[in-house]
Amino acid sequence: MKVCVYRGTNEIGGNCIEVATKNTRVLFDFGLPLSSMEEDKPLTDYKVNCSGVYADEVPSVNAIFITHNHPDHYGLLPLINPKIPVYMTKTLHEILVKIQPLLPGEFDISHLDIRDIDLNEIVKIGDLTIIAHPVDHAPSACAYEVSDGTKRILYTGDIRFHSNQNWKSWKLADKTKNPDCLIMEGTRLSRSEATEKYPTEDAVYKKLINVLQDSKKIAFISMSSQNLDRLVSVIKACLVTERIFVIDPYTAALLDIFHELSAKVPTVEMLQHVRIYYGGNPSMSSKLIDKGMFYTHKSKKITIQEIEENPEKYIVKYNSTLVKALLKNCVKDYDFIYSMWHGYLARSKTWDLYKEHLIEVHTSGHAQVSDLQEFVKKVSPNKIIPIHTECKNDYADIFSVPIVVLNDNEMIEI
């Protein structure tokens, strides 16, 4: 087998890996670089230098496998030749079909040949055998084990070991021991930041309870609506502290979608302490209206006036329209809980308005260095190829396994 990392050897995100034999070519992930999220450029500006995959080429790639539902791993899919089958878990397929059209920008994969796979299912593509193993990172995230019958590769995708689903990642270590090559992410090799104070999702949950219990002020929280673990932590913290969680229609729609995928996730109707504010973000509102998902829970509607009557009862998911109105009309003091990656604080001036009230409560979606070290010990690979990292040259100092440091577009034989 040969391996080429088209993008990801020098940056976090944008993953695209080829595993090839003499007769078979398979790609793992086909993502956008993180820089694309701050730029207004067409998808074609971010193409990787991989032949035989794009719509205007004769296809020579046999299949593409996607690890999870973050754009830095799937964002270039609209550009591929529709004759190339794309494999992903059923849950991931549902997420991309239902959630992605609601987000800014155009994302259309309706023309693609998407084939659902089950976790732990064995898939044969030409000379290669591929197995998707569940990991802790995002809903239905997986790692891929690839074999040609003589050599074996394990690609972690994005992985962590510190949420309530961490058993998935440790089980991967037990099931895939001694691969010839481990292609492993190293996002947090370069990140030593305030989020380390809350190393697990349970620590985040307990801190949220402390903040909400100790304060008599309204709380605002900035967080990703797609971070299901965080949504559940906030909902549970509100139950304990008797706060009402005010969300937007998009977050409500996501809870409905996640409930369809897993009955363990509650809908808004199941939650007495959740209300919906319907103002702000006209573009998102328009998309939700088009899909019949806007007024699904209109009985849960809350107005600014209701919040103003007793603001200390509420924790409000950040909505610039609502927050600015409350600060202008009635709120004199507040807590602002920031529950996203610390690095975004420096990238946007939005948060400067609230910096005197800011409380960071977050844990990463990526593995801590100590957990990666323990994972490598358990897996015991013959060699490691760094990916999804800005610190590939540091792997040799951190892991006691031979490290193969690649540049983008460099092909090696395993």
Side-chain angles (χ1 to χ4, degrees), residues 23-41:
N23 302 308
T24 306
R25 296 177 67 203
V26 174
L27 300 184
F28 294 90
D29 285 335
F30 205 56
L32 283 164
L34 291 185
S35 61
S36 67
M37 300 175 193
E38 300 170 4
E39 301 168 341
D40 185 19
K41 296 181 180 179

Side-chain angles (χ1 to χ4, degrees), residues 293-360:
M293 302 170 72
F294 189 65
Y295 282 116
T296 307
H297 303 290
K298 57 185 177 182
S299 64
K300 289 283 191 174
K301 178 182 177 181
I302 192 169
T303 65
I304 292 177
Q305 290 71 30
E306 287 178 87
I307 300 171
E308 288 175 346
E309 289 173 5
N310 203 354
E312 66 273 11
K313 287 174 52 178
Y314 299 94
I315 175 171
V316 177
K317 185 181 179 299
Y318 180 74
N319 173 319
S320 60
T321 302
L322 176 56
V323 170
K324 289 175 182 177
L326 289 170
L327 293 180
K328 180 180 179 180
N329 296 340
C330 73
V331 173
K332 305 304 178 187
D333 199 8
Y334 60 94
D335 293 316
F336 196 103
I337 301 169
Y338 182 82
S339 197
M340 298 190 294
W341 175 46
H342 179 79
Y344 292 139
L345 286 173
R347 295 187 180 196
S348 173
K349 294 183 178 180
T350 299
W351 318 116
D352 291 349
L353 298 171
Y354 315 105
K355 60 184 177 183
E356 294 180 3
H357 302 263
L358 215 63
I359 304 169
E360 287 192 66

Side-chain angles (χ1 to χ4, degrees), residues 21 26 36 57 72 118 147 168 349 351 364 391-392 405:
T21 66
V26 174
S36 67
E57 300 176 314
D72 60 323
D118 293 321
S147 174
K168 294 178 180 179
K349 294 183 178 180
W351 318 116
S364 177
C391 301
K392 64 184 180 183
V405 177

Side-chain angles (χ1 to χ4, degrees), residues 15-234:
N15 282 26
C16 181
I17 301 164
E18 178 177 333
V19 177
T21 66
K22 183 178 180 181
N23 302 308
T24 306
R25 296 177 67 203
V26 174
L27 300 184
F28 294 90
D29 285 335
F30 205 56
L32 283 164
L34 291 185
S35 61
S36 67
M37 300 175 193
E38 300 170 4
E39 301 168 341
D40 185 19
K41 296 181 180 179
L43 285 184
T44 51
D45 280 16
Y46 302 105
K47 292 169 68 172
V48 293
N49 186 28
C50 177
S51 64
V53 68
Y54 296 109
D56 58 352
E57 300 176 314
V58 176
S60 59
V61 169
N62 298 89
I64 299 175
F65 286 77
I66 304 298
T67 55
H68 66 280
N69 66 312
H70 292 159
D72 60 323
H73 292 259
Y74 71 76
L76 288 180
L77 283 181
L79 301 182
I80 74 165
N81 192 306
K83 294 181 180 179
I84 299 172
V86 180
Y87 292 82
M88 60 182 70
T89 64
K90 295 175 183 177
T91 299
L92 173 54
H93 189 183
E94 287 289 308
I95 289 172
L96 293 188
V97 167
K98 293 182 177 179
I99 294 179
Q100 202 55 40
L102 301 178
L103 297 180
E106 298 300 322
F107 182 83
D108 184 10
I109 55 172
S110 59
H111 61 295
L112 299 184
D113 178 11
I114 297 180
R115 304 185 185 184
D116 295 342
I117 57 173
D118 293 321
L119 292 167
N120 301 308
E121 177 184 350
I122 296 173
V123 180
K124 291 283 291 181
I125 305 291
D127 298 332
L128 297 175
T129 300
I130 297 144
I131 305 173
H133 297 283
V135 295
D136 174 20
H137 176 66
S140 195
C142 63
Y144 284 109
E145 184 179 10
V146 191
S147 174
D148 68 349
T150 58
K151 296 290 180 73
R152 194 161 51 92
I153 295 169
L154 177 61
Y155 167 45
T156 62
D158 288 357
I159 191 170
R160 66 177 177 176
F161 303 82
H162 57 267
S163 86
N164 297 329
Q165 300 289 309
N166 63 6
W167 58 270
K168 294 178 180 179
S169 298
W170 292 123
K171 190 172 182 179
L172 173 69
D174 293 332
K175 292 177 66 175
T176 58
K177 292 184 181 296
N178 308 119
D180 295 280
C181 180
L182 172 64
I183 305 174
M184 187 177 72
E185 73 123 304
T187 306
R188 293 181 71 183
L189 270 65
S190 61
R191 295 180 178 178
S192 56
E193 54 200 31
T195 59
E196 296 290 349
K197 290 189 296 186
Y198 310 106
T200 67
E201 191 62 39
D202 188 57
V204 167
Y205 164 63
K206 290 175 180 176
K207 178 61 177 178
L208 289 171
I209 291 175
N210 290 340
V211 171
L212 297 178
Q213 280 181 335
D214 294 345
S215 175
K216 300 300 181 184
K217 299 174 281 189
I218 190 172
F220 304 119
I221 183 165
S222 178
M223 56 175 286
S224 168
S225 297
Q226 289 198 54
N227 188 336
L228 181 58
D229 287 339
R230 194 61 36 81
L231 271 176
V232 171
S233 291
V234 177

